[in-house]
Amino acid sequence: KWPIKTIFRFADWRRRDIDGEVISIKNAHDALVDLGMLPDDSRKYLHGFTVEMLEEKGEWYDLEIVELT
């Protein structure tokens, strides 16, 4: 079940810096804790995350949870 890592993907057709999405990642990890899916977002449970930006029309976000062994 734990530890996990997350892959945060988002689409944005405008050209902007990828590091501008850091607050969105923080909010996503906090939501996992609030929903009871993760005890807390410390390094004991969350070992890392990856950010992928796709230059596509529309604006959407996707969070993939990967269990580490």
Side-chain angles (χ1 to χ4, degrees):
K1 199 168 183 176
W2 298 292
I4 66 165
K5 75 172 189 171
T6 59
I7 303 172
F8 184 80
R9 294 181 187 92
F10 69 99
D12 193 337
W13 60 272
R14 294 171 285 173
R15 295 191 182 263
R16 64 169 104 182
D17 294 338
I18 196 169
D19 62 355
E21 295 302 318
V22 171
I23 191 66
S24 299
I25 297 163
K26 174 66 175 149
N27 290 337
H29 291 157
D30 288 347
L32 293 176
V33 174
D34 291 345
L35 292 169
M37 297 176 70
L38 194 61
D40 64 56
D41 56 1
S42 68
R43 291 192 306 181
K44 180 177 180 181
Y45 302 105
L46 179 62
H47 279 203
F49 61 88
T50 303
V51 181
E52 298 175 2
M53 180 173 58
L54 306 171
E55 291 185 19
E56 295 181 3
K57 288 251 181 190
E59 294 185 16
W60 55 265
Y61 296 87
D62 177 60
L63 183 69
E64 179 181 348
I65 300 170
V66 180
E67 292 183 28
L68 303 174
T69 56

